[in-house]
Amino acid sequence: MLDMIIIGSGPAGLSAAVYAKRAGLDSLVIEKEYVSGGQVLLTYEVDNYLGLPGMNGFDLGTKFREHADGAGASFATDRVVSIEPCEDAEGKRFYRVKGAEGSHEARTIVAATGTVHRLLGVPGEDRFTGKGVSYCATCDGAFFKKKEVAVVGGGDVAVEDAIYLARLCSKVTLIHRRDRLRAAKSLQDRLFALENVEIVWNANVTEVQGDKKVENIIITSNSGASLAYPVDGLFIAVGITPVSECFRGLVEMDESGYIVAGEDCATSAPGVFVAGDLRTKKLRQIVTAVSDGAVAVSMAGNYLETL
C-alpha cells in the first residue's frame, strides 16, 4: 500500500514527485510514456519561467526529470485504465489504480495527466497527419525549411508557432477565425514585425487536400466564401483537451472535462488531488503546474495524517 500515486509526469507530476519524496511519502509516478516533461518538451523556447529565461523546452523538461530522479522518485510506465475507491479492513479509504500492465494501491492520488492538442475535425486532417499536418511546430518545423506553411489558431501557442516557423520557412500564413488574436501582446508585436508572415482573419480551414502529402488547404471565410490555398504544411494550434477519462465518475468535472478543484487542489473525492493543466483554473502555465504539484502533495500529506 503506497502513500501516494502520481498519475502523469509533466511539470505538475514531477513537482509532486519531488515534494512527495521530501515529505517522506512512499510514492510512485505512473507515466504513459518513458519520456517525462509533458507538453513543455514540445516548446521551442520557454521565456517566462523564473530564473531560466530562454530555456529550450526539451532541456527544461529534462532538468525537471533529473531533479525528480535525484530526489529518489519511483516511476512506472503504464496507461491508467481505471481508478477504484476501496476500503481496507479498518474502513480506511484507498484507491486501486489499474493500468494496462498491472495495478497499484495507494491512500492518495495526484491527478496530473494534463491536456492534449485539440483537433480541427475537418476532412483530410487524419489522413495527412504526419504527412504535412502537425500539432507541434518545434517537433516538425525543420522538415519545412524554405517552404510555405500555414498555422491555424489565435492564442499564445499558435502565435509562438508562427514566429518559430517564420525563422525556417519562406512564408507563414496564420489563419484565425476572429478579427483579433488572443495571444499576449508581446507575442503579437513580435509576430506583426515579421515580413514573411501573412494573417488571414475571420476564416477557418475546412479541408486538407493532397495526394501523398499536404498540397492545399481550403480556407472558408466567415461569410461562406472558400478558396484553395497551396501550402506544404499545416500546423494546428486550436486549443487543448483535458486527459481526464480515467477519472470520470470518480471526481467532479466541468462540462469540458477539467477536474474541479480550488487552489488547495482537493477534488470532490477524499484523498484525490489534481495538479497542473487538468485542474479548473484561469492560468495554465509551467509555473502554475509546478506550484500545483507542491500544493497537492502538501494537502495530501494533511489528509494522510487524518487517517
Side-chain angles (χ1 to χ4, degrees), residues 116-126 128-129 132-137 140 150-154 157-158 161 165 174-175 205 207-208 214 217 233-240:
V116 293
H117 297 290
R118 187 173 296 156
L119 306 180
L120 284 181
V122 301
E125 181 180 10
D126 287 344
F128 293 107
T129 295
V133 171
S134 173
Y135 303 88
C136 177
D140 301 326
V151 178
V152 185
V157 174
D161 285 355
L165 291 167
L174 180 66
I175 303 161
V205 172
E207 187 176 351
V208 185
V214 172
I217 55 175
L234 175 65
F235 292 84
I236 299 171
V238 293
I240 54 177

PDB file of all heavy atoms in Angstrom, residues 116-126 128-129 132-137 140 150-154 157-158 161 165 174-175 205 207-208 214 217 233-240:
ATOM      1  N   VAL A 116      -4.157  17.410 -24.062  1.00  0.00           N
ATOM      2  CA  VAL A 116      -3.624  17.072 -25.388  1.00  0.00           C
ATOM      3  C   VAL A 116      -4.152  18.084 -26.398  1.00  0.00           C
ATOM      4  O   VAL A 116      -5.096  18.831 -26.128  1.00  0.00           O
ATOM      5  CB  VAL A 116      -4.032  15.649 -25.824  1.00  0.00           C
ATOM      6  CG1 VAL A 116      -3.364  14.605 -24.950  1.00  0.00           C
ATOM      7  CG2 VAL A 116      -5.549  15.487 -25.802  1.00  0.00           C
ATOM      8  N   HIS A 117      -3.558  18.091 -27.577  1.00  0.00           N
ATOM      9  CA  HIS A 117      -3.957  19.032 -28.611  1.00  0.00           C
ATOM     10  C   HIS A 117      -5.362  18.736 -29.129  1.00  0.00           C
ATOM     11  O   HIS A 117      -5.743  17.575 -29.323  1.00  0.00           O
ATOM     12  CB  HIS A 117      -2.968  18.983 -29.774  1.00  0.00           C
ATOM     13  CG  HIS A 117      -1.584  19.400 -29.402  1.00  0.00           C
ATOM     14  ND1 HIS A 117      -1.265  20.696 -29.087  1.00  0.00           N
ATOM     15  CD2 HIS A 117      -0.429  18.692 -29.269  1.00  0.00           C
ATOM     16  CE1 HIS A 117       0.026  20.775 -28.796  1.00  0.00           C
ATOM     17  NE2 HIS A 117       0.549  19.577 -28.895  1.00  0.00           N
ATOM     18  N   ARG A 118      -6.119  19.786 -29.381  1.00  0.00           N
ATOM     19  CA  ARG A 118      -7.463  19.660 -29.944  1.00  0.00           C
ATOM     20  C   ARG A 118      -7.373  19.556 -31.465  1.00  0.00           C
ATOM     21  O   ARG A 118      -6.542  20.222 -32.089  1.00  0.00           O
ATOM     22  CB  ARG A 118      -8.306  20.872 -29.542  1.00  0.00           C
ATOM     23  CG  ARG A 118      -9.775  20.771 -29.931  1.00  0.00           C
ATOM     24  CD  ARG A 118     -10.529  21.945 -29.335  1.00  0.00           C
ATOM     25  NE  ARG A 118     -10.493  21.900 -27.881  1.00  0.00           N
ATOM     26  CZ  ARG A 118     -10.635  22.971 -27.101  1.00  0.00           C
ATOM     27  NH1 ARG A 118     -10.761  24.178 -27.634  1.00  0.00           N
ATOM     28  NH2 ARG A 118     -10.606  22.846 -25.794  1.00  0.00           N
ATOM     29  N   LEU A 119      -8.216  18.736 -32.045  1.00  0.00           N
ATOM     30  CA  LEU A 119      -8.228  18.541 -33.495  1.00  0.00           C
ATOM     31  C   LEU A 119      -9.179  19.526 -34.167  1.00  0.00           C
ATOM     32  O   LEU A 119     -10.131  20.020 -33.554  1.00  0.00           O
ATOM     33  CB  LEU A 119      -8.657  17.113 -33.832  1.00  0.00           C
ATOM     34  CG  LEU A 119      -7.877  15.970 -33.172  1.00  0.00           C
ATOM     35  CD1 LEU A 119      -8.442  14.631 -33.637  1.00  0.00           C
ATOM     36  CD2 LEU A 119      -6.403  16.069 -33.473  1.00  0.00           C
ATOM     37  N   LEU A 120      -8.917  19.790 -35.441  1.00  0.00           N
ATOM     38  CA  LEU A 120      -9.856  20.605 -36.225  1.00  0.00           C
ATOM     39  C   LEU A 120     -11.112  19.819 -36.556  1.00  0.00           C
ATOM     40  O   LEU A 120     -12.207  20.357 -36.622  1.00  0.00           O
ATOM     41  CB  LEU A 120      -9.199  21.073 -37.524  1.00  0.00           C
ATOM     42  CG  LEU A 120      -8.190  22.220 -37.466  1.00  0.00           C
ATOM     43  CD1 LEU A 120      -7.696  22.522 -38.872  1.00  0.00           C
ATOM     44  CD2 LEU A 120      -8.800  23.458 -36.834  1.00  0.00           C
ATOM     45  N   GLY A 121     -10.927  18.529 -36.839  1.00  0.00           N
ATOM     46  CA  GLY A 121     -12.062  17.691 -37.197  1.00  0.00           C
ATOM     47  C   GLY A 121     -12.572  17.927 -38.608  1.00  0.00           C
ATOM     48  O   GLY A 121     -13.773  17.857 -38.864  1.00  0.00           O
ATOM     49  N   VAL A 122     -11.668  18.222 -39.538  1.00  0.00           N
ATOM     50  CA  VAL A 122     -12.065  18.500 -40.920  1.00  0.00           C
ATOM     51  C   VAL A 122     -11.567  17.381 -41.832  1.00  0.00           C
ATOM     52  O   VAL A 122     -10.630  16.648 -41.496  1.00  0.00           O
ATOM     53  CB  VAL A 122     -11.506  19.853 -41.403  1.00  0.00           C
ATOM     54  CG1 VAL A 122     -12.008  20.979 -40.505  1.00  0.00           C
ATOM     55  CG2 VAL A 122      -9.970  19.843 -41.426  1.00  0.00           C
ATOM     56  N   PRO A 123     -12.192  17.220 -43.011  1.00  0.00           N
ATOM     57  CA  PRO A 123     -11.744  16.186 -43.957  1.00  0.00           C
ATOM     58  C   PRO A 123     -10.266  16.350 -44.303  1.00  0.00           C
ATOM     59  O   PRO A 123      -9.797  17.461 -44.539  1.00  0.00           O
ATOM     60  CB  PRO A 123     -12.638  16.430 -45.178  1.00  0.00           C
ATOM     61  CG  PRO A 123     -13.861  17.081 -44.631  1.00  0.00           C
ATOM     62  CD  PRO A 123     -13.383  17.942 -43.498  1.00  0.00           C
ATOM     63  N   GLY A 124      -9.558  15.241 -44.321  1.00  0.00           N
ATOM     64  CA  GLY A 124      -8.147  15.239 -44.682  1.00  0.00           C
ATOM     65  C   GLY A 124      -7.198  15.393 -43.515  1.00  0.00           C
ATOM     66  O   GLY A 124      -6.007  15.102 -43.649  1.00  0.00           O
ATOM     67  N   GLU A 125      -7.700  15.848 -42.364  1.00  0.00           N
ATOM     68  CA  GLU A 125      -6.807  16.061 -41.212  1.00  0.00           C
ATOM     69  C   GLU A 125      -6.165  14.750 -40.755  1.00  0.00           C
ATOM     70  O   GLU A 125      -4.940  14.675 -40.606  1.00  0.00           O
ATOM     71  CB  GLU A 125      -7.582  16.699 -40.060  1.00  0.00           C
ATOM     72  CG  GLU A 125      -6.740  16.970 -38.827  1.00  0.00           C
ATOM     73  CD  GLU A 125      -7.533  17.608 -37.706  1.00  0.00           C
ATOM     74  OE1 GLU A 125      -8.781  17.680 -37.809  1.00  0.00           O
ATOM     75  OE2 GLU A 125      -6.905  18.037 -36.722  1.00  0.00           O
ATOM     76  N   ASP A 126      -6.976  13.722 -40.539  1.00  0.00           N
ATOM     77  CA  ASP A 126      -6.440  12.436 -40.105  1.00  0.00           C
ATOM     78  C   ASP A 126      -5.521  11.827 -41.161  1.00  0.00           C
ATOM     79  O   ASP A 126      -4.435  11.324 -40.853  1.00  0.00           O
ATOM     80  CB  ASP A 126      -7.575  11.460 -39.804  1.00  0.00           C
ATOM     81  CG  ASP A 126      -8.299  11.808 -38.513  1.00  0.00           C
ATOM     82  OD1 ASP A 126      -7.754  12.596 -37.721  1.00  0.00           O
ATOM     83  OD2 ASP A 126      -9.409  11.294 -38.304  1.00  0.00           O
ATOM     84  N   PHE A 128      -3.666  13.127 -43.414  1.00  0.00           N
ATOM     85  CA  PHE A 128      -2.371  13.767 -43.648  1.00  0.00           C
ATOM     86  C   PHE A 128      -1.603  14.090 -42.361  1.00  0.00           C
ATOM     87  O   PHE A 128      -0.584  14.774 -42.414  1.00  0.00           O
ATOM     88  CB  PHE A 128      -2.554  15.030 -44.484  1.00  0.00           C
ATOM     89  CG  PHE A 128      -3.005  14.748 -45.886  1.00  0.00           C
ATOM     90  CD1 PHE A 128      -4.302  15.025 -46.283  1.00  0.00           C
ATOM     91  CD2 PHE A 128      -2.134  14.186 -46.809  1.00  0.00           C
ATOM     92  CE1 PHE A 128      -4.730  14.757 -47.576  1.00  0.00           C
ATOM     93  CE2 PHE A 128      -2.543  13.907 -48.102  1.00  0.00           C
ATOM     94  CZ  PHE A 128      -3.849  14.185 -48.495  1.00  0.00           C
ATOM     95  N   THR A 129      -2.089  13.586 -41.219  1.00  0.00           N
ATOM     96  CA  THR A 129      -1.309  13.766 -40.000  1.00  0.00           C
ATOM     97  C   THR A 129       0.019  13.017 -40.144  1.00  0.00           C
ATOM     98  O   THR A 129       0.050  11.830 -40.438  1.00  0.00           O
ATOM     99  CB  THR A 129      -2.077  13.227 -38.779  1.00  0.00           C
ATOM    100  OG1 THR A 129      -3.251  14.017 -38.587  1.00  0.00           O
ATOM    101  CG2 THR A 129      -1.218  13.304 -37.519  1.00  0.00           C
ATOM    102  N   GLY A 132       2.371  16.226 -43.420  1.00  0.00           N
ATOM    103  CA  GLY A 132       2.173  17.648 -43.682  1.00  0.00           C
ATOM    104  C   GLY A 132       1.315  18.319 -42.640  1.00  0.00           C
ATOM    105  O   GLY A 132       1.392  19.532 -42.448  1.00  0.00           O
ATOM    106  N   VAL A 133       0.480  17.545 -41.947  1.00  0.00           N
ATOM    107  CA  VAL A 133      -0.318  18.080 -40.842  1.00  0.00           C
ATOM    108  C   VAL A 133       0.407  17.779 -39.538  1.00  0.00           C
ATOM    109  O   VAL A 133       0.793  16.633 -39.276  1.00  0.00           O
ATOM    110  CB  VAL A 133      -1.730  17.464 -40.810  1.00  0.00           C
ATOM    111  CG1 VAL A 133      -2.454  17.862 -39.524  1.00  0.00           C
ATOM    112  CG2 VAL A 133      -2.538  17.905 -42.016  1.00  0.00           C
ATOM    113  N   SER A 134       0.615  18.806 -38.734  1.00  0.00           N
ATOM    114  CA  SER A 134       1.352  18.657 -37.483  1.00  0.00           C
ATOM    115  C   SER A 134       0.690  19.465 -36.374  1.00  0.00           C
ATOM    116  O   SER A 134       0.003  20.453 -36.633  1.00  0.00           O
ATOM    117  CB  SER A 134       2.802  19.124 -37.666  1.00  0.00           C
ATOM    118  OG  SER A 134       3.488  19.140 -36.428  1.00  0.00           O
ATOM    119  N   TYR A 135       0.917  19.034 -35.147  1.00  0.00           N
ATOM    120  CA  TYR A 135       0.416  19.748 -33.977  1.00  0.00           C
ATOM    121  C   TYR A 135       1.570  20.277 -33.124  1.00  0.00           C
ATOM    122  O   TYR A 135       1.350  20.766 -32.020  1.00  0.00           O
ATOM    123  CB  TYR A 135      -0.472  18.818 -33.135  1.00  0.00           C
ATOM    124  CG  TYR A 135      -1.624  18.265 -33.935  1.00  0.00           C
ATOM    125  CD1 TYR A 135      -1.486  17.085 -34.663  1.00  0.00           C
ATOM    126  CD2 TYR A 135      -2.844  18.943 -34.016  1.00  0.00           C
ATOM    127  CE1 TYR A 135      -2.522  16.588 -35.426  1.00  0.00           C
ATOM    128  CE2 TYR A 135      -3.889  18.455 -34.783  1.00  0.00           C
ATOM    129  CZ  TYR A 135      -3.719  17.277 -35.490  1.00  0.00           C
ATOM    130  OH  TYR A 135      -4.744  16.790 -36.262  1.00  0.00           O
ATOM    131  N   CYS A 136       2.785  20.183 -33.660  1.00  0.00           N
ATOM    132  CA  CYS A 136       3.962  20.625 -32.911  1.00  0.00           C
ATOM    133  C   CYS A 136       4.973  21.251 -33.857  1.00  0.00           C
ATOM    134  O   CYS A 136       5.705  20.540 -34.568  1.00  0.00           O
ATOM    135  CB  CYS A 136       4.581  19.449 -32.165  1.00  0.00           C
ATOM    136  SG  CYS A 136       6.094  19.889 -31.281  1.00  0.00           S
ATOM    137  N   ALA A 137       5.027  22.572 -33.874  1.00  0.00           N
ATOM    138  CA  ALA A 137       5.943  23.279 -34.779  1.00  0.00           C
ATOM    139  C   ALA A 137       7.392  22.999 -34.437  1.00  0.00           C
ATOM    140  O   ALA A 137       8.237  22.839 -35.328  1.00  0.00           O
ATOM    141  CB  ALA A 137       5.666  24.778 -34.719  1.00  0.00           C
ATOM    142  N   ASP A 140       8.326  19.422 -35.778  1.00  0.00           N
ATOM    143  CA  ASP A 140       8.303  19.139 -37.213  1.00  0.00           C
ATOM    144  C   ASP A 140       8.716  20.305 -38.102  1.00  0.00           C
ATOM    145  O   ASP A 140       8.810  20.149 -39.320  1.00  0.00           O
ATOM    146  CB  ASP A 140       6.893  18.682 -37.617  1.00  0.00           C
ATOM    147  CG  ASP A 140       6.457  17.437 -36.856  1.00  0.00           C
ATOM    148  OD1 ASP A 140       7.332  16.608 -36.561  1.00  0.00           O
ATOM    149  OD2 ASP A 140       5.255  17.309 -36.557  1.00  0.00           O
ATOM    150  N   ALA A 150       1.105  26.920 -43.185  1.00  0.00           N
ATOM    151  CA  ALA A 150       0.012  27.663 -42.546  1.00  0.00           C
ATOM    152  C   ALA A 150      -0.109  27.220 -41.095  1.00  0.00           C
ATOM    153  O   ALA A 150       0.183  26.067 -40.765  1.00  0.00           O
ATOM    154  CB  ALA A 150      -1.301  27.434 -43.280  1.00  0.00           C
ATOM    155  N   VAL A 151      -0.531  28.134 -40.258  1.00  0.00           N
ATOM    156  CA  VAL A 151      -0.799  27.853 -38.848  1.00  0.00           C
ATOM    157  C   VAL A 151      -2.238  28.244 -38.572  1.00  0.00           C
ATOM    158  O   VAL A 151      -2.688  29.318 -38.989  1.00  0.00           O
ATOM    159  CB  VAL A 151       0.143  28.650 -37.918  1.00  0.00           C
ATOM    160  CG1 VAL A 151      -0.200  28.384 -36.450  1.00  0.00           C
ATOM    161  CG2 VAL A 151       1.598  28.313 -38.200  1.00  0.00           C
ATOM    162  N   VAL A 152      -2.974  27.384 -37.860  1.00  0.00           N
ATOM    163  CA  VAL A 152      -4.360  27.685 -37.505  1.00  0.00           C
ATOM    164  C   VAL A 152      -4.445  27.954 -36.012  1.00  0.00           C
ATOM    165  O   VAL A 152      -3.984  27.144 -35.205  1.00  0.00           O
ATOM    166  CB  VAL A 152      -5.303  26.517 -37.859  1.00  0.00           C
ATOM    167  CG1 VAL A 152      -6.754  26.905 -37.587  1.00  0.00           C
ATOM    168  CG2 VAL A 152      -5.128  26.113 -39.302  1.00  0.00           C
ATOM    169  N   GLY A 153      -5.028  29.086 -35.630  1.00  0.00           N
ATOM    170  CA  GLY A 153      -5.204  29.418 -34.226  1.00  0.00           C
ATOM    171  C   GLY A 153      -4.933  30.888 -33.964  1.00  0.00           C
ATOM    172  O   GLY A 153      -4.450  31.603 -34.840  1.00  0.00           O
ATOM    173  N   GLY A 154      -5.244  31.325 -32.750  1.00  0.00           N
ATOM    174  CA  GLY A 154      -5.047  32.727 -32.421  1.00  0.00           C
ATOM    175  C   GLY A 154      -4.538  32.969 -31.011  1.00  0.00           C
ATOM    176  O   GLY A 154      -4.422  34.111 -30.578  1.00  0.00           O
ATOM    177  N   VAL A 157       0.027  29.754 -28.231  1.00  0.00           N
ATOM    178  CA  VAL A 157       0.734  28.659 -28.893  1.00  0.00           C
ATOM    179  C   VAL A 157       0.770  28.870 -30.397  1.00  0.00           C
ATOM    180  O   VAL A 157       1.810  28.685 -31.041  1.00  0.00           O
ATOM    181  CB  VAL A 157       0.080  27.306 -28.549  1.00  0.00           C
ATOM    182  CG1 VAL A 157       0.723  26.182 -29.359  1.00  0.00           C
ATOM    183  CG2 VAL A 157       0.226  27.016 -27.060  1.00  0.00           C
ATOM    184  N   ALA A 158      -0.362  29.262 -30.978  1.00  0.00           N
ATOM    185  CA  ALA A 158      -0.412  29.478 -32.429  1.00  0.00           C
ATOM    186  C   ALA A 158       0.556  30.578 -32.857  1.00  0.00           C
ATOM    187  O   ALA A 158       1.277  30.441 -33.854  1.00  0.00           O
ATOM    188  CB  ALA A 158      -1.836  29.826 -32.855  1.00  0.00           C
ATOM    189  N   ASP A 161       4.114  29.415 -32.507  1.00  0.00           N
ATOM    190  CA  ASP A 161       4.427  28.516 -33.620  1.00  0.00           C
ATOM    191  C   ASP A 161       4.736  29.305 -34.888  1.00  0.00           C
ATOM    192  O   ASP A 161       5.680  29.001 -35.620  1.00  0.00           O
ATOM    193  CB  ASP A 161       3.257  27.563 -33.881  1.00  0.00           C
ATOM    194  CG  ASP A 161       3.156  26.466 -32.844  1.00  0.00           C
ATOM    195  OD1 ASP A 161       4.044  26.381 -31.975  1.00  0.00           O
ATOM    196  OD2 ASP A 161       2.183  25.687 -32.895  1.00  0.00           O
ATOM    197  N   LEU A 165       8.215  29.218 -36.874  1.00  0.00           N
ATOM    198  CA  LEU A 165       8.258  28.741 -38.260  1.00  0.00           C
ATOM    199  C   LEU A 165       8.771  29.808 -39.217  1.00  0.00           C
ATOM    200  O   LEU A 165       9.384  29.493 -40.242  1.00  0.00           O
ATOM    201  CB  LEU A 165       6.866  28.262 -38.680  1.00  0.00           C
ATOM    202  CG  LEU A 165       6.384  26.988 -37.987  1.00  0.00           C
ATOM    203  CD1 LEU A 165       4.897  26.781 -38.218  1.00  0.00           C
ATOM    204  CD2 LEU A 165       7.173  25.781 -38.460  1.00  0.00           C
ATOM    205  N   LEU A 174      -0.923  32.708 -41.038  1.00  0.00           N
ATOM    206  CA  LEU A 174      -1.670  32.432 -39.812  1.00  0.00           C
ATOM    207  C   LEU A 174      -3.150  32.644 -40.090  1.00  0.00           C
ATOM    208  O   LEU A 174      -3.559  33.729 -40.528  1.00  0.00           O
ATOM    209  CB  LEU A 174      -1.201  33.354 -38.687  1.00  0.00           C
ATOM    210  CG  LEU A 174      -1.917  33.171 -37.336  1.00  0.00           C
ATOM    211  CD1 LEU A 174      -1.591  31.812 -36.740  1.00  0.00           C
ATOM    212  CD2 LEU A 174      -1.522  34.272 -36.359  1.00  0.00           C
ATOM    213  N   ILE A 175      -3.959  31.625 -39.823  1.00  0.00           N
ATOM    214  CA  ILE A 175      -5.400  31.683 -40.096  1.00  0.00           C
ATOM    215  C   ILE A 175      -6.135  31.677 -38.764  1.00  0.00           C
ATOM    216  O   ILE A 175      -5.951  30.770 -37.936  1.00  0.00           O
ATOM    217  CB  ILE A 175      -5.825  30.477 -40.956  1.00  0.00           C
ATOM    218  CG1 ILE A 175      -5.013  30.447 -42.254  1.00  0.00           C
ATOM    219  CG2 ILE A 175      -7.318  30.521 -41.255  1.00  0.00           C
ATOM    220  CD1 ILE A 175      -5.010  29.104 -42.939  1.00  0.00           C
ATOM    221  N   VAL A 205      -9.966  26.793 -41.588  1.00  0.00           N
ATOM    222  CA  VAL A 205      -9.558  25.738 -42.511  1.00  0.00           C
ATOM    223  C   VAL A 205     -10.637  24.667 -42.470  1.00  0.00           C
ATOM    224  O   VAL A 205     -10.943  24.121 -41.403  1.00  0.00           O
ATOM    225  CB  VAL A 205      -8.193  25.146 -42.115  1.00  0.00           C
ATOM    226  CG1 VAL A 205      -7.873  23.921 -42.972  1.00  0.00           C
ATOM    227  CG2 VAL A 205      -7.096  26.184 -42.247  1.00  0.00           C
ATOM    228  N   GLU A 207     -10.833  22.018 -44.960  1.00  0.00           N
ATOM    229  CA  GLU A 207     -10.427  20.758 -45.580  1.00  0.00           C
ATOM    230  C   GLU A 207      -8.928  20.791 -45.853  1.00  0.00           C
ATOM    231  O   GLU A 207      -8.347  21.856 -46.091  1.00  0.00           O
ATOM    232  CB  GLU A 207     -11.189  20.520 -46.891  1.00  0.00           C
ATOM    233  CG  GLU A 207     -10.934  19.141 -47.503  1.00  0.00           C
ATOM    234  CD  GLU A 207     -11.764  18.882 -48.751  1.00  0.00           C
ATOM    235  OE1 GLU A 207     -12.669  19.704 -49.037  1.00  0.00           O
ATOM    236  OE2 GLU A 207     -11.513  17.860 -49.418  1.00  0.00           O
ATOM    237  N   VAL A 208      -8.315  19.614 -45.791  1.00  0.00           N
ATOM    238  CA  VAL A 208      -6.907  19.461 -46.143  1.00  0.00           C
ATOM    239  C   VAL A 208      -6.838  18.538 -47.354  1.00  0.00           C
ATOM    240  O   VAL A 208      -7.434  17.458 -47.354  1.00  0.00           O
ATOM    241  CB  VAL A 208      -6.091  18.851 -44.979  1.00  0.00           C
ATOM    242  CG1 VAL A 208      -4.611  18.811 -45.333  1.00  0.00           C
ATOM    243  CG2 VAL A 208      -6.312  19.641 -43.692  1.00  0.00           C
ATOM    244  N   VAL A 214       0.359  16.866 -47.916  1.00  0.00           N
ATOM    245  CA  VAL A 214      -0.447  18.091 -47.999  1.00  0.00           C
ATOM    246  C   VAL A 214      -0.007  18.939 -49.185  1.00  0.00           C
ATOM    247  O   VAL A 214       1.191  19.201 -49.367  1.00  0.00           O
ATOM    248  CB  VAL A 214      -0.328  18.910 -46.693  1.00  0.00           C
ATOM    249  CG1 VAL A 214      -1.010  20.271 -46.855  1.00  0.00           C
ATOM    250  CG2 VAL A 214      -0.931  18.158 -45.525  1.00  0.00           C
ATOM    251  N   ILE A 217      -4.904  23.616 -48.692  1.00  0.00           N
ATOM    252  CA  ILE A 217      -5.936  23.665 -47.660  1.00  0.00           C
ATOM    253  C   ILE A 217      -7.075  24.526 -48.192  1.00  0.00           C
ATOM    254  O   ILE A 217      -6.856  25.442 -48.990  1.00  0.00           O
ATOM    255  CB  ILE A 217      -5.408  24.246 -46.336  1.00  0.00           C
ATOM    256  CG1 ILE A 217      -4.782  25.629 -46.553  1.00  0.00           C
ATOM    257  CG2 ILE A 217      -4.436  23.294 -45.677  1.00  0.00           C
ATOM    258  CD1 ILE A 217      -4.337  26.311 -45.261  1.00  0.00           C
ATOM    259  N   GLY A 233       2.721  22.566 -45.589  1.00  0.00           N
ATOM    260  CA  GLY A 233       2.442  22.025 -44.268  1.00  0.00           C
ATOM    261  C   GLY A 233       1.387  22.827 -43.544  1.00  0.00           C
ATOM    262  O   GLY A 233       1.199  24.022 -43.807  1.00  0.00           O
ATOM    263  N   LEU A 234       0.675  22.160 -42.635  1.00  0.00           N
ATOM    264  CA  LEU A 234      -0.367  22.808 -41.842  1.00  0.00           C
ATOM    265  C   LEU A 234      -0.121  22.480 -40.373  1.00  0.00           C
ATOM    266  O   LEU A 234      -0.092  21.307 -39.986  1.00  0.00           O
ATOM    267  CB  LEU A 234      -1.748  22.308 -42.255  1.00  0.00           C
ATOM    268  CG  LEU A 234      -2.924  22.823 -41.419  1.00  0.00           C
ATOM    269  CD1 LEU A 234      -3.090  24.331 -41.575  1.00  0.00           C
ATOM    270  CD2 LEU A 234      -4.212  22.101 -41.794  1.00  0.00           C
ATOM    271  N   PHE A 235       0.055  23.522 -39.573  1.00  0.00           N
ATOM    272  CA  PHE A 235       0.285  23.364 -38.140  1.00  0.00           C
ATOM    273  C   PHE A 235      -0.963  23.819 -37.386  1.00  0.00           C
ATOM    274  O   PHE A 235      -1.414  24.956 -37.547  1.00  0.00           O
ATOM    275  CB  PHE A 235       1.509  24.168 -37.706  1.00  0.00           C
ATOM    276  CG  PHE A 235       2.789  23.613 -38.256  1.00  0.00           C
ATOM    277  CD1 PHE A 235       3.220  23.949 -39.534  1.00  0.00           C
ATOM    278  CD2 PHE A 235       3.549  22.730 -37.511  1.00  0.00           C
ATOM    279  CE1 PHE A 235       4.394  23.425 -40.054  1.00  0.00           C
ATOM    280  CE2 PHE A 235       4.722  22.198 -38.019  1.00  0.00           C
ATOM    281  CZ  PHE A 235       5.144  22.536 -39.293  1.00  0.00           C
ATOM    282  N   ILE A 236      -1.524  22.932 -36.593  1.00  0.00           N
ATOM    283  CA  ILE A 236      -2.804  23.179 -35.931  1.00  0.00           C
ATOM    284  C   ILE A 236      -2.573  23.474 -34.454  1.00  0.00           C
ATOM    285  O   ILE A 236      -1.971  22.666 -33.731  1.00  0.00           O
ATOM    286  CB  ILE A 236      -3.737  21.967 -36.098  1.00  0.00           C
ATOM    287  CG1 ILE A 236      -4.010  21.732 -37.592  1.00  0.00           C
ATOM    288  CG2 ILE A 236      -5.045  22.168 -35.337  1.00  0.00           C
ATOM    289  CD1 ILE A 236      -4.731  20.438 -37.894  1.00  0.00           C
ATOM    290  N   ALA A 237      -3.030  24.648 -34.010  1.00  0.00           N
ATOM    291  CA  ALA A 237      -2.877  25.070 -32.614  1.00  0.00           C
ATOM    292  C   ALA A 237      -4.160  25.746 -32.164  1.00  0.00           C
ATOM    293  O   ALA A 237      -4.219  26.965 -31.977  1.00  0.00           O
ATOM    294  CB  ALA A 237      -1.685  26.013 -32.475  1.00  0.00           C
ATOM    295  N   VAL A 238      -5.219  24.945 -32.033  1.00  0.00           N
ATOM    296  CA  VAL A 238      -6.547  25.493 -31.738  1.00  0.00           C
ATOM    297  C   VAL A 238      -7.034  25.158 -30.338  1.00  0.00           C
ATOM    298  O   VAL A 238      -8.230  25.178 -30.066  1.00  0.00           O
ATOM    299  CB  VAL A 238      -7.575  25.001 -32.778  1.00  0.00           C
ATOM    300  CG1 VAL A 238      -7.273  25.593 -34.138  1.00  0.00           C
ATOM    301  CG2 VAL A 238      -7.611  23.472 -32.848  1.00  0.00           C
ATOM    302  N   GLY A 239      -6.115  24.839 -29.460  1.00  0.00           N
ATOM    303  CA  GLY A 239      -6.529  24.609 -28.088  1.00  0.00           C
ATOM    304  C   GLY A 239      -6.161  23.223 -27.594  1.00  0.00           C
ATOM    305  O   GLY A 239      -5.493  22.442 -28.280  1.00  0.00           O
ATOM    306  N   ILE A 240      -6.610  22.949 -26.398  1.00  0.00           N
ATOM    307  CA  ILE A 240      -6.255  21.702 -25.726  1.00  0.00           C
ATOM    308  C   ILE A 240      -7.493  21.018 -25.154  1.00  0.00           C
ATOM    309  O   ILE A 240      -8.530  21.645 -24.949  1.00  0.00           O
ATOM    310  CB  ILE A 240      -5.246  21.964 -24.595  1.00  0.00           C
ATOM    311  CG1 ILE A 240      -5.794  23.029 -23.629  1.00  0.00           C
ATOM    312  CG2 ILE A 240      -3.898  22.372 -25.159  1.00  0.00           C
ATOM    313  CD1 ILE A 240      -4.916  23.311 -22.441  1.00  0.00           C
TER     314      ILE A 240
END
